[in-house]
Amino acid sequence: MLAGPAALHLLLPAPPPHRLHLAFALPQHPAPPLHARAACSRRARRRAPPQRHGVSRASAAVAEEASSSGPAKFSVRIPVGDREILVETGHIGRQASASVMVTDGETVLYCSVCLSDTPNDPSDFFPLSVHYQERLSAAGRTSGGFFKREGKAKDHEVLVCRLIDRPLRPTMPNGFYYETQILSWVFSYDGIHSPDCLAITAAGIAVALSEIPNKQTIAGVRIGLINGQFVINPTTEQMENSELDLMMAGTDSAILMIEGYCDFLTEEKLLEAVEAGQVAIREICKAIDVLVQNCGKKKMVDAINFPPPELYRHVEDISGDELVKALQIKGKIPRRKALSALEDKVITILSEQGYVSKDSSLGVTESLDDIVEDEDEDEVIVDGEVDEGDVHIKPVSRKPPRQLFAEVDVKLVFKEVSSKYLRRRIVEGGKRSDGRSPWELRPINSQCGLLPRAHGSALFTRGETQSLAVVTLGGYQMAQRIDNLVDTEDSKSFYLQYSFPPSCVGEVGRIGAPSRREIGHGMLAERALEPILPPEEDFPYTIRVESTITESNGSSSMASVCGGCLALQDAGVPIKFPVAGIAMGLVLDTQEFGGDGSPLILSDITGAEDASGDMDLKVAGNESGITAFQMDIKVVGITLPVMEQALLQARDGRKHILNEMSKSSPPPSKALSRHAPLIHVMKVKPNKVNLIIGSGGKTIKSIIEETGVDAIDTGDDGMVKITARDLSSLEKSKTIIANLTMVPKVGEIYRNCEIKSIAPYGAFVEIAPGREGLCHISELSSGWLAKAEDAFKVGDRIDVKLIEVGSSF
């Protein structure tokens, strides 16, 4: 199997003669000076893409022809939890840089990785895009709408894309600018084995097999807590009884990403779950490495391109003192403007004017022998005789050359230098940009009831981060419908929508559909608040929370948790406990910046500390436990002891935030708004539900039209929800439905009943809508009547007592 690539290499055609001719002709040109050659070499690396390693385009056709009888197929079975997953490669998607098929039970996922042919311009953000799609055909379904083809990504698919992207990005090398695209499709789904955790592992395998010079192999697993035991990649049925839903990704030695939700789980229990997941990931990574050794492509190490090393020193020489002053500005906007102005200055000097380094400008002189060329070495000058032409020649100072650098390189280096100075200020000085200590939180202020017509509202402010949370209550028709892979229409009666407009950071930008970041942050805040909601039977409302970020300087998703909790209370939702959220940061290697080498944990990080730090850990809950958490690492992993320290410090921070939230002024009303709808729930016998609906829905529509209620929702279990804007309409509909579904009992008295028709033997009286009984002529009067019309006529109302129930009831 290993001889294949070697054989292909031997079949490569020899270079054409004209290439040899050019190669011999190149030395005829005069060689440029050493510094010029270095600059030319760097420009060449910018303009011309380096040749890929492994099978070149010239040998690709040979490889395809040689394998036309049947593609080479590599497969490996990897133990994961109580079962194995099958990984196959080499037989599908052979024109991609790498592709794999991963199978778990009857769930099959395909993942491919491709690179662009030429590198992008250098930037500080790796050009990686991820697409994940769950094909409805995987579950034997098709779309129920007009369009039968899958289109825009669903929120769930967007969240899985983020789960794939976040652990892969830290493993990508700096200086690698080839655009990379990861595509994942679920082609088969058995309803038992979830594809989302497989997608992370499949992407990690595909990247490891490709030419991408990633630092380490990654894998992902889901951890559940069922009956006190941690289960790796539990089935969908097992997850219904799980106390924990933890998605985790990492390498064989460290953790890269965690995200999960639980019901007030303790920090100690969460760490145990992460440890169990780390063991499983380690075994998967070892198996992947064996597969890569057998069929992986050679890495494009030569394609990694860094800025010139001397540029770092030049940027520090130019901006050092001013950078220290700019980082001490407490306000985010003034600090950003100062840094932007300083960056422009550095770019102008290094990219336009040219820069003479301090070492090069120390007055280098040339001697007379270097300047004056001795035309006639044998010429003898008589004492006192001097050539007039030599009188004006003196030793002169040679000006060192000015160095020019690419603007994109200067920008990259300036950002790295700024990050370095910020870290040094925190570690050495013990103070952050806003003057806080590493464990200190920003000032907190909150107020409720700002919006008079909203059902509940709260404004939560923490430093320069601010969330305006609004709660809207409604009936079942307001629920969020979800189209899943399985053949069911699911819905959510609680959802949180997060908005991050460009104005919250003082910028101009696009406004439109929610971004992937907004969807991810909204889901994190939603799952953090979900455990505190009352059961549906106690509070039968659909709850919508909107969090609009009006200011942002870090940790806006956790501000949404705090603001959302206050808004829920202001709307009169009887929550179980208040919760709060906090974001934690990290400087991992403090020794480089004057520390003792131990990691430094930062509480309540700002945007700059998030961008320049090594970790972004968001934790929500109360002092007793955690409801939601999310961690992203920007270095190649952290260890469990570091994570433990961060979680414990986050718990102290949550206690402080909850205490500040309790001081909200004005406080939450904790009562239903007079503008909120009224919902009444009543239970009828399941076989009576059709009486409420009527033929083609005629009865229920007539009740809504007659009473003026907003909606009447019925369930197969006999549960009926009436949503109304006022009490009178609610009471009318309750009475009609009660009469429709009542079971007549002997001895009950029914008052003000209308006579619908009269017969020779008595009158038919309506005791309830659609429910009539016969009142015999002998019961219509105490005396003798010849006919019923002598006592009553149609339309009269009388009180009656039920004395007998016939079989028709």
Side-chain angles (χ1 to χ4, degrees), residues 708-781:
V709 297
D710 289 345
I712 299 175
D713 302 308
T714 60
D716 295 336
D717 59 351
M719 195 69 69
V720 180
K721 289 183 181 178
I722 307 170
T723 306
R725 289 289 170 182
D726 56 82
L727 189 59
S728 62
S729 60
L730 181 66
E731 291 296 335
K732 287 180 184 178
S733 60
K734 278 172 57 180
T735 303
I736 295 174
I737 293 173
N739 291 334
L740 276 174
T741 59
M742 75 167 185
V743 178
K745 294 182 181 180
V746 175
E748 286 191 358
I749 297 176
Y750 300 91
R751 302 188 181 278
N752 198 32
C753 299
E754 182 182 358
I755 297 176
K756 289 293 187 181
S757 62
I758 295 178
Y761 45 83
F764 287 92
V765 181
E766 186 181 54
I767 62 174
R771 311 296 297 276
E772 296 181 6
L774 172 64
C775 185
H776 194 267
I777 192 172
S778 62
E779 302 290 342
L780 289 176
S781 174

Side-chain angles (χ1 to χ4, degrees), residues 68 429 485 507 615 778:
S68 60
L485 267 179
E507 296 178 355
M615 177 186 75
S778 62

Side-chain angles (χ1 to χ4, degrees), residues 126-144:
F126 180 69
L128 171 66
S129 61
V130 179
H131 175 83
Y132 169 88
Q133 187 178 69
E134 296 177 347
R135 296 282 176 87
L136 292 177
S137 58
R141 295 182 55 211
T142 189
S143 173

Side-chain angles (χ1 to χ4, degrees), residues 557-577:
S557 62
M558 295 296 96
S560 299
V561 174
C562 301
C565 179
L566 290 170
L568 286 171
Q569 296 177 74
D570 190 56
V573 180
I575 64 172
K576 299 174 184 176
F577 315 100

